[in-house]
Amino acid sequence: MEIVAALGVGALAGFGIWLLLQVRSFSVILGLTLLSYAVNLLIFFGGRLGGGWPPLMLREAHDQADPLPQALVLTAIVIGFGMTAYLVALALRAKGESGSDHVDAGGER
């Protein structure tokens, strides 16, 4: 289970970095989004990777999941969604003004 999770996080991070290095601004935004998903999964898997533990604090339960990574990932998802919406708005405005969605389109003036 841990090997599959590590390969999944690595694939997401690698593909996100590859998209981040592209010249189109929407590819860069998609790369940032995939990279944030990889970091979120890494933090989430850092809590505990396994099943059978209740996510809530119960008196009769002995092993419980750590709620801190879940809270951190939930906060990161909200912040990542806001950042993605801002970057999409910024990219659309840049495309409207320059007529191109290249990352360095403003440097040609």
Side-chain angles (χ1 to χ4, degrees):
M1 179 72 177
E2 289 87 6
I3 296 295
V4 174
L7 288 175
V9 169
L12 272 178
F15 195 62
I17 289 173
W18 180 74
L19 282 174
L20 197 61
L21 297 175
Q22 301 297 312
V23 294
R24 304 276 182 171
S25 58
F26 289 108
S27 297
V28 171
I29 293 170
L30 187 61
L32 280 173
T33 304
L34 286 181
L35 201 56
S36 71
Y37 287 159
V39 170
N40 288 342
L41 283 176
L42 184 68
I43 293 171
F44 186 73
F45 291 153
R48 273 190 190 172
L49 194 58
W53 294 307
L56 300 173
M57 301 290 281
L58 301 174
R59 290 184 186 187
E60 61 271 5
H62 298 289
D63 291 327
Q64 298 173 350
D66 189 10
L68 182 62
Q70 297 172 12
L72 288 174
V73 168
L74 184 61
T75 304
I77 288 171
V78 172
I79 291 172
F81 181 72
M83 182 192 74
T84 302
Y86 177 72
L87 287 177
V88 166
L90 199 62
L92 287 175
R93 172 128 188 194
K95 184 176 181 181
E97 287 185 1
S98 67
S100 174
D101 64 344
H102 284 213
V103 175
D104 58 350
E108 297 172 357
R109 292 182 190 173

